[in-house]
Each structure stands twice: as structure tokens, then as C-alpha cells.
Amino acid sequence: MEKQIINTTNAPAPIGPYNQAVKAGSTLFISGQIALNPESGKLETDDVIVETHRVMQNLRNILSEAGMDFSDVVKSTIFITDMNDFSQINEVYGKYFSGYFPARETVQVAALPKGVNVEISMIAIK
């Protein structure tokens, strides 16, 4: 099976020893994305709605680089630091999908990189 590294300047550069995504065959594994603006390099964490939109935009840009979109996503994992933010995050997340939603879990964690409130990873298949 062929493995291809996917990186785009339209999403934040990795902050550690990993890639934005790896495509193995027809399956794309996207690393967890946070609300880092790839153009300014600044976090967009004014509120959890703005933050979630930035995360989803970063994910969309990685999907696009791989020739995919949200309709190809089969699995998402959402990590949040406060389950009280779940409904707002869920509302924003849902706006990026039409038709069928992927399988998903949402997990509350003690902390996330750079002190963000939400991180989302995805698996997509074309």
C-alpha cells in the first residue's frame, strides 16, 4: 500500500514530529487540528464558536489538499477541555456536513496543546 504525506500551507504547520495528514491507499488520516490561523500564526480562541470554525476550516483545507471534502469523512474525534462547550462545538461542527454525518466521539480532556479548548482529528475515505 502506498503512503503519501499530505501537507498544505493553508493549515497550520505541525508543531511536533508528525504530518498534517497521511494518505494510505484511499484512506486519509488527519492529525488533530487546533485553532491556529495558518496565515497569521495566531490562535483564534476568542470564544469556542470562533475556535471551532477555525479548526474546521483547517480540516477542510487539509481535506482539499488531498482531493477530498467533508463528504468523504467517515470518522471524527473531538477533544474538548470543557463538556459545557459541547453544544456550541457540536452546532458549528454540524454546519460543515451535509447529508450523512461521520461516526464520532467527543472526549473531555484535562488540557490540549497551546491551551486551546478544542482539537479535532478525522479519517476520510475516497
Side-chain angles (χ1 to χ4, degrees):
M1 180 181 305
E2 184 180 329
K3 182 170 82 169
Q4 177 186 3
I5 303 303
I6 305 293
N7 281 306
T8 176
T9 56
N10 295 322
I15 56 176
Y18 63 91
N19 288 292
Q20 291 170 337
V22 176
K23 190 174 182 185
S26 61
T27 305
L28 182 69
F29 299 88
I30 304 176
S31 297
Q33 295 299 302
I34 61 174
L36 197 58
N37 183 310
E39 292 177 17
S40 69
K42 297 183 189 243
L43 287 171
E44 294 182 3
T45 55
D46 295 337
D47 65 51
V48 76
I49 292 172
V50 169
E51 186 171 353
T52 306
H53 275 295
R54 169 46 60 196
V55 170
M56 295 300 289
Q57 290 163 8
N58 290 340
L59 289 161
R60 179 179 54 215
N61 292 340
I62 294 169
L63 285 163
S64 178
E65 184 70 19
M68 297 183 178
D69 59 37
F70 285 114
S71 69
D72 299 308
V73 176
V74 296
K75 178 77 165 59
S76 297
T77 302
I78 302 176
F79 301 96
I80 60 178
T81 57
D82 186 348
M83 198 55 81
N84 291 317
D85 292 333
F86 176 78
S87 62
Q88 291 177 300
I89 293 167
N90 197 46
E91 185 175 337
V92 172
Y93 171 91
K95 291 178 181 179
Y96 286 82
F97 294 92
S98 59
Y100 297 103
F101 293 102
R104 183 186 87 186
E105 66 265 330
T106 302
V107 181
Q108 180 174 316
V109 296
L112 289 167
K114 297 190 174 279
V116 299
N117 302 299
V118 61
E119 179 176 2
I120 302 174
S121 64
M122 292 182 166
I123 299 171
I125 298 176
K126 187 81 167 174

